[in-house]
Amino acid sequence: MIEPEQPGTEQENAVVTAKELLSLIRNLACELHPNRQYRDINLDNSIDRDLGFDSLGRVELLVRIEKRFECSLLEKAFIEAETPRDLLGLILTAAPATTILELSPLPGLDTHGADPEPIRATTLNEMLEWHAEVHGDRPHVILYGDEEEPETLTYMDLLTGAKTIAAGLQGRGVAPGQTVSIMLPTSREYLYSFFGILLCGAVPVPIYPPARLSQVEDHLRRHARILDNAQSVLMITVAEAKTLARLLQSQVGTLKEIVTPDDLGKTAVGVLAAPRVTPDDIAFLQYTSGSTGNPKGVTLTHANLMANIRAMGQATGACADDVFVSWLPLYHDMGLIGAWLGSLYFAAPLVLMSPLRFLVRPVRWLQAIHRHRGTLAASPNFGFELCLNKIDDTQLQGLDLSSWRMAFNGAEPVSANTIQRFNKRFARYGFRPEAMSPVYGLAESSVGLAFPPLDRGPLIDRIEKDTLASTGSAVPAVEQEDASEIVACGQVLQGHRIRIVDHKGNELPDRREGHLQFRGPSTTQGYFRNPVQTEQLFKDGWLDSGDLAYTVEDDIYITSRVKDLIIRGGRNIYPYEVEEEIGNTPRVRKGCVAVFGSEDRRTGTERIIVLVETRETRESQLAQLKERLFTRATDLLGMPPDEVVLAPPHTVLKTSSGKIRRSACRELYDNGLATGGRRAVWQQFGRLAWSGLPAMVKRGWQSTTRTLYAAYVWGLLFTLAPPVWLLTALLPGIRRRWKLNRQAASLYRRMIGISLEVEGLENLPEDGPCVLVANHASYIDGMVIVSALPRRFRFVAKAELLEQFVPRIFLQRIGSEFVERFDRQASADDAKRLSGLAETSDPLLFFPEGTFQRPRGLLSFRLGAFVAAAQSGLTVVPITLKGSREILPANTWFPRHGHLKVTVNPPIMPGGSDWQAAVKLRDEARQAILATCGEGDMQQG
């Protein structure tokens, strides 16, 4: 029990406060990291580096500080504090805490009798200009910054500020149609910049600033690819980010300049020469959540946005009497279009705060709804969860939410449990259950696609979980146990259409799960500069949402993302429910669980992986937690997961809006990186600086030499390959054809400067049948083995090559055999055929990995070669290839010089002809190759 401070001098009180602060920090640090010793915590320790506080740890620290010292700290200053000394200064100058709410009228706000919306406007530019002309002095945005009292922006303020930015952009040579990126926090500068880009005829590309410095490397690398795809010519950002942002210039060839809004204001001269903007012009590029190696920038025209805003307004009954209260980020479509542009169109005041203000203190959102009599507000499901878990009842005294007529819940899966608990808890504060409005939308439909009828409240469908997983039928559950609760996400907007289809494109009836497709005036034309992904987006004139769903009458029920669905043993497994339940386990970081499938190359099915973040570090506690999670996951899945992976904080990757990036987590797991922590900030910054430096200094020379060498390699290949192919096709006798190819392969290898070392040829039988198995690391492996081995053999190739004329003729003429990989019956028939061939023909050569990848490491071996050897009683000779991956890695057209080594390992005799003998033979052969290939073990399972 801490005694209250006694009156004393200011210096004495500061000393007492400092001691209590350090004690509080030490206690929390020990809770977060129980295995670390914190004996010498002082005021100059780094909160991040020395004490190990992440963003959530800081939020908890803020709660405890304010409760202990009965003060209210500024969120931004608290998050930016580097040391306990910084926190002490904030505490000593903080305002007293207050939980009493007052209904402060909005200065100058009168929402009644507003002019009708701009029904003739066809572009966002015309929409803003109409409002500024008709009622320019009306409040448009009530913006909460660092202070408790907001600032008010009128429509004329927005137009004037935007024109200044537009003039500055024109002064720096930005032309109509070019793209300009915005990396700014929620602020008036963001609002001015977005419309400033539009007014000069350019295209805004919103991207988000890093939430924490610990994420800077991943953040900037991901956005370099986005900016490169968007071909941004200029970036508008804050002064503090200019140094970091300049690292992007070395990786984005089109990015000419990085400026702040103030920079643009200072260079704005003359009158803005506003270009003509049409409804079919691109209004902005919305990069979808999680855009990484292959960025997908949704192109949205002015016509798309105007249609979507009007349709959503009709569904919600939006008008100038509404007040929208939002903390949603302006770089995300739900916050940008749904909250800001929608409020702008209908002349409804927008009460706007930053995501940081909400995340640090969720009660601020509810207080703003109370204070400003908000009628509309939106959040992903996790925002409602934060209100349930991070707001104390004492903070809610006097709260009145009776004005809230629609609480939109969308942008991520809607939890029936969350909305039920939210409705129950906040009903005592005036929240009406009918106001809870689960919605559905996606960037490819501008933002909104389905909304529920007014004042209906949420519909929750209880269905048989196993029946949905096994048959795709959403059968209402009679029993209370073993049922899934699926929330209806509304009915399609007027003027738009949806349908549910099976994998063949056949439309399905109600209560049958399938792919959700849609069309309508809000629909994008595709992804910017990404024709491959755009082509995959459309199916017979319908746009594929990427979601699985079913309908009941007119309501849409979303069951899963297609890419997140796990198919195991003929069952469909949905990750959301499992993640939510696992997240409620003690010692697991809530909201930091990812369930995904990882390909099992041995069986052709998916392995179920449960990736879980925990702060626990003690081995004994980790083992107990892992066992508990394994049992819990088994109960939830109806089958055991293949692996439960415990990982440190910040391992589970998320999008800017907080959604789990399951595909990225799968990639992290497959590359064996799911248990590593993040690098220190200075290491990340150093790596980025170094990666940018070669691009400016060395990249030219390296690129030139690599290009010249690649041109020589491929040019020589295209010179030699046609005559070799033709002679192979025409020469009589397989012996002659093999001699030709062996000599051609050796000549080509020497001419491109690659040396070859062969070891262990004495282990290769001089004659008679046998089975050869080799690791597979590159497209050149076949050529290498032909050049290295003195014996003729027969390749075992995938049957898909039979559909390609050139490789088919060549492989057939050198005696290759073809096997089916995907048709199980055909594959089984091929295995029997090969077993017979192995006894009578030249040696059969298999690449049992079946494929290869860029990361170094030996993959799992398929059993086909070893079943053939065991059934035929033949020797297996493991052959190790070393160096080919370095010469020509996967996914590149740029070969490199290198040294090749081929090792023929001692032969292995099968111990029988049954399945167990084949498995043992496979394991022994794989171990022999693993011991000599110099690469790691990447076997799954």
Side-chain angles (χ1 to χ4, degrees):
M1 186 79 176
I2 299 177
E3 296 294 332
E5 294 181 8
Q6 300 297 319
T9 66
E10 183 176 332
Q11 184 175 359
E12 290 172 342
N13 287 340
V15 172
V16 172
T17 301
K19 291 181 179 179
E20 294 180 359
L21 173 63
L22 291 177
S23 176
L24 187 152
I25 292 174
R26 181 182 295 107
N27 292 337
L28 180 55
C30 290
E31 291 178 27
L32 296 176
H33 308 287
N35 287 340
R36 292 181 62 178
Q37 300 295 323
Y38 293 99
R39 295 190 181 91
D40 301 320
I41 292 180
N42 59 65
L43 291 175
D44 295 312
N45 284 134
S46 165
I47 296 172
D48 296 328
R49 186 181 63 255
D50 298 331
L51 304 180
F53 281 71
D54 61 8
S55 56
L56 292 179
R58 281 177 175 260
V59 170
E60 181 62 26
L61 179 60
L62 174 64
V63 171
R64 297 191 185 190
I65 287 176
E66 292 188 333
K67 185 175 182 179
R68 170 63 191 89
F69 298 106
E70 298 181 348
C71 63
S72 181
L73 302 182
L74 294 176
E75 293 91 341
K76 183 178 180 182
F78 180 85
I79 291 297
E80 292 177 350
E82 297 287 342
T83 65
R85 190 180 299 279
D86 297 335
L87 297 180
L88 177 62
L90 295 176
I91 294 169
L92 295 176
T93 59
T98 177
T99 59
I100 300 175
L101 294 175
E102 298 180 359
L103 283 178
S104 303
L106 192 63
L109 179 62
D110 177 12
T111 62
H112 297 286
D115 294 288
E117 65 266 20
I119 57 176
R120 295 186 179 179
T122 61
T123 66
L124 299 182
N125 302 31
E126 292 175 3
M127 177 177 69
L128 174 58
E129 291 165 352
W130 185 90
H131 281 293
E133 180 180 352
V134 174
H135 41 225
D137 293 335
R138 277 177 54 80
H140 166 44
V141 174
I142 297 88
L143 181 63
Y144 280 91
D146 293 337
E147 305 298 329
E148 289 304 310
E149 291 302 317
E151 61 174 325
T152 300
L153 277 66
T154 67
Y155 293 100
M156 187 57 71
D157 290 336
L158 177 57
L159 181 60
T160 302
K163 284 185 174 180
T164 299
I165 296 293
L169 292 171
Q170 284 190 341
R172 292 172 181 264
V174 175
Q178 290 185 321
T179 55
V180 176
S181 59
I182 310 173
M183 195 173 78
L184 292 169
T186 299
S187 58
R188 66 161 63 211
E189 288 78 16
Y190 189 105
L191 305 177
Y192 293 167
S193 296
F194 185 88
F195 263 102
I197 298 169
L198 288 175
L199 291 180
C200 77
V203 179
V205 182
I207 61 175
Y208 65 97
R212 296 184 303 275
L213 279 177
S214 62
Q215 299 174 329
V216 66
E217 180 177 12
D218 178 61
H219 177 85
L220 289 183
R221 287 194 186 280
R222 290 178 63 219
H223 281 91
R225 290 188 284 270
I226 290 175
L227 293 174
D228 185 60
N229 176 258
Q231 294 189 319
S232 292
V233 298
L234 186 140
M235 171 186 280
I236 306 175
T237 186
V238 295
E240 296 83 354
K242 286 179 69 174
T243 302
L244 292 175
R246 283 198 179 93
L247 294 172
L248 296 174
Q249 283 184 286
S250 64
Q251 303 173 45
V252 182
T254 58
L255 192 60
K256 301 295 191 297
E257 199 169 4
I258 297 166
V259 298
T260 66
D262 285 344
D263 294 335
L264 294 174
K266 293 174 183 177
T267 59
V269 293
V271 178
L272 173 66
R276 181 176 179 269
V277 177
T278 71
D280 293 330
D281 288 337
I282 298 175
F284 79 102
L285 299 180
Q286 176 67 62
Y287 278 84
T288 58
S289 298
S291 290
T292 52
N294 187 17
K296 295 192 295 185
V298 179
T299 58
L300 296 174
T301 66
H302 289 268
N304 292 148
L305 294 174
M306 299 300 286
N308 200 239
I309 290 169
R310 285 166 173 146
M312 290 190 296
Q314 183 175 20
T316 60
C319 66
D321 291 334
D322 280 308
V323 177
F324 203 122
V325 180
S326 178
W327 58 266
L328 299 170
L330 294 173
Y331 49 75
H332 190 269
D333 50 13
M334 195 175 184
L336 176 63
I337 308 170
W340 178 32
L341 298 181
S343 297
L344 175 59
Y345 180 88
F346 289 102
L350 172 65
V351 180
L352 184 62
M353 65 183 69
S354 71
L356 176 63
R357 185 179 178 89
F358 166 75
L359 294 173
V360 171
R361 219 185 311 267
V363 73
R364 294 295 194 205
W365 185 40
L366 303 184
Q367 288 175 333
I369 294 171
H370 165 104
R371 180 181 182 187
H372 298 283
R373 309 312 297 148
T375 62
L376 306 174
S379 171
N381 194 82
F382 84 87
F384 294 97
E385 273 288 336
L386 281 180
C387 291
L388 288 167
N389 300 324
K390 296 296 183 182
I391 300 177
D392 191 84
D393 285 340
T394 59
Q395 297 176 286
L396 301 176
Q397 295 177 12
L399 184 71
D400 179 11
L401 300 178
S402 60
S403 64
W404 198 354
R405 69 178 186 86
M406 293 199 81
F408 306 114
N409 186 334
E412 67 180 20
V414 180
S415 166
N417 179 263
T418 298
I419 61 178
Q420 289 166 339
R421 289 163 50 225
F422 190 92
N423 288 347
K424 181 178 179 180
R425 182 183 184 189
F426 291 99
R428 73 190 75 163
Y429 302 105
F431 182 79
R432 298 179 305 108
E434 297 79 14
M436 181 60 70
S437 304
V439 296
Y440 173 69
L442 62 168
E444 288 81 356
S445 183
S446 295
V447 62
L449 184 59
F451 281 70
L454 293 171
D455 293 322
R456 184 188 68 181
L459 291 183
I460 300 173
D461 192 25
R462 290 179 51 81
I463 62 173
E464 295 178 357
K465 181 194 304 184
D466 288 339
T467 304
L468 180 69
S470 59
T471 70
S473 295
V475 178
V478 178
E479 302 293 334
Q480 291 299 312
E481 297 182 358
D482 197 32
S484 291
E485 292 187 326
I486 312 294
V487 180
C489 293
Q491 302 173 2
V492 68
L493 294 174
Q494 186 171 5
H496 298 68
R497 292 180 59 195
I498 66 109
R499 67 175 187 173
I500 308 297
V501 300
D502 62 18
H503 67 283
K504 294 182 179 179
N506 301 314
E507 194 161 352
L508 296 173
D510 274 3
R511 293 198 171 276
R512 287 286 297 170
E513 182 189 55
H515 299 261
L516 189 152
Q517 298 179 346
F518 65 94
R519 58 171 39 157
S522 305
T523 303
T524 179
Q525 297 301 307
Y527 299 120
F528 189 70
R529 298 182 63 242
N530 198 330
V532 174
Q533 291 290 332
T534 297
E535 184 177 358
Q536 296 174 3
L537 189 62
F538 292 92
K539 312 290 183 184
D540 300 324
W542 293 79
L543 191 144
D544 189 349
S545 69
D547 289 315
L548 295 177
Y550 65 91
T551 57
V552 179
E553 296 181 348
D554 294 325
D555 281 289
I556 300 169
Y557 293 81
I558 306 297
T559 56
S560 177
R561 291 289 293 171
V562 172
K563 65 182 180 181
D564 294 334
L565 183 69
I566 305 168
I567 301 175
R568 177 68 176 271
R571 287 172 51 88
N572 293 343
I573 297 171
Y574 307 92
Y576 310 119
E577 182 178 315
V578 180
E579 291 168 349
E580 185 175 11
E581 291 295 328
I582 293 291
N584 292 326
T585 307
R587 294 196 177 94
V588 169
R589 300 188 75 213
K590 190 173 180 63
C592 299
V593 179
V595 177
F596 51 88
S598 177
E599 181 186 1
D600 188 334
R601 296 182 176 87
R602 294 172 300 171
T603 63
T605 61
E606 287 192 289
R607 305 175 71 243
I608 304 174
I609 310 300
V610 182
L611 177 62
V612 180
E613 285 188 13
T614 178
R615 298 186 187 279
E616 186 61 68
T617 56
R618 292 170 292 180
E619 291 296 331
S620 60
Q621 294 298 320
L622 286 172
Q624 293 178 13
L625 177 59
K626 192 169 188 176
E627 184 65 29
R628 189 183 315 124
L629 294 177
F630 186 89
T631 301
R632 183 63 179 137
T634 301
D635 292 340
L636 293 167
L637 294 166
M639 64 181 72
D642 291 275
E643 189 171 357
V644 174
V645 180
L646 300 181
H650 311 308
T651 300
V652 174
L653 303 176
K654 299 181 180 181
T655 69
S656 59
S657 58
K659 292 185 286 187
I660 301 296
R661 294 168 57 201
R662 294 181 185 84
S663 297
C665 290
R666 179 187 300 114
E667 182 179 352
L668 193 72
Y669 170 82
D670 289 341
N671 289 330
L673 304 176
T675 56
R678 291 186 180 274
R679 296 182 180 88
V681 173
W682 67 268
Q683 289 178 310
Q684 296 183 46
F685 192 89
R687 283 167 54 88
L688 282 171
W690 178 249
S691 69
L693 187 60
M696 293 181 288
V697 180
K698 299 180 180 179
R699 186 185 300 175
W701 170 250
Q702 293 175 341
S703 177
T704 300
T705 55
R706 286 188 63 195
T707 301
L708 290 174
Y709 180 69
Y712 170 71
V713 169
W714 294 115
L716 184 60
L717 177 66
F718 291 136
T719 300
L720 293 177
V724 171
W725 184 90
L726 186 61
L727 288 172
T728 302
L730 297 178
L731 276 175
I734 194 169
R735 185 184 301 274
R736 293 180 180 177
R737 294 193 289 269
W738 263 93
K739 182 178 180 181
L740 166 70
N741 278 275
R742 184 172 290 115
Q743 292 175 343
S746 299
L747 174 64
Y748 179 69
R749 176 183 54 76
R750 289 193 296 269
M751 291 183 70
I752 62 177
I754 294 176
S755 58
L756 173 64
E757 176 186 2
V758 183
E759 185 175 278
L761 282 178
E762 68 274 13
N763 294 319
L764 182 69
E766 293 183 2
D767 53 25
C770 64
V771 172
L772 311 177
V773 293
N775 59 309
H776 199 12
S778 173
Y779 283 117
I780 68 173
D781 291 342
M783 181 194 73
V784 173
I785 294 179
V786 168
S787 178
L789 299 186
R791 282 198 65 181
R792 187 173 70 245
F793 55 86
R794 307 180 75 175
F795 283 106
V796 178
K798 55 187 180 182
E800 298 98 283
L801 293 174
L802 287 170
E803 301 174 3
Q804 303 175 33
F805 176 79
V806 173
R808 181 184 78 238
I809 297 299
F810 178 79
L811 290 171
Q812 286 176 336
R813 294 292 286 170
I814 62 173
S816 300
E817 297 294 333
F818 298 88
V819 295
E820 176 59 56
R821 298 190 299 168
F822 304 112
D823 186 311
R824 292 185 178 181
Q825 183 58 52
S827 181
D829 294 339
D830 287 337
K832 294 178 183 178
R833 178 171 57 85
L834 291 177
S835 296
L837 286 172
E839 300 180 58
T840 59
S841 66
D842 291 328
L844 293 176
L845 173 71
F846 292 80
F847 291 112
E849 290 172 283
T851 186
F852 61 90
Q853 60 183 18
R854 195 181 187 101
R856 292 168 53 84
L858 191 64
L859 303 175
S860 305
F861 276 15
R862 300 171 187 260
L863 273 166
F866 308 97
V867 169
Q871 292 179 350
S872 305
L874 294 178
T875 297
V876 171
V877 181
I879 297 175
T880 305
L881 303 179
K882 193 173 181 180
S884 62
R885 193 188 309 274
E886 286 71 24
I887 291 172
L888 186 63
N891 304 320
T892 181
W893 290 95
F894 288 85
R896 291 174 286 194
H897 289 283
H899 175 72
L900 292 167
K901 182 176 181 180
V902 176
T903 302
V904 181
N905 297 286
I908 305 171
M909 286 295 297
S913 60
D914 57 7
W915 177 264
Q916 287 75 19
V919 171
K920 183 179 179 183
L921 196 59
R922 177 199 66 185
D923 293 343
E924 290 179 357
R926 188 177 186 279
Q927 189 58 43
I929 293 175
L930 183 64
T932 52
C933 70
E935 296 187 353
D937 190 349
M938 297 189 70
Q939 177 166 287
Q940 300 296 312

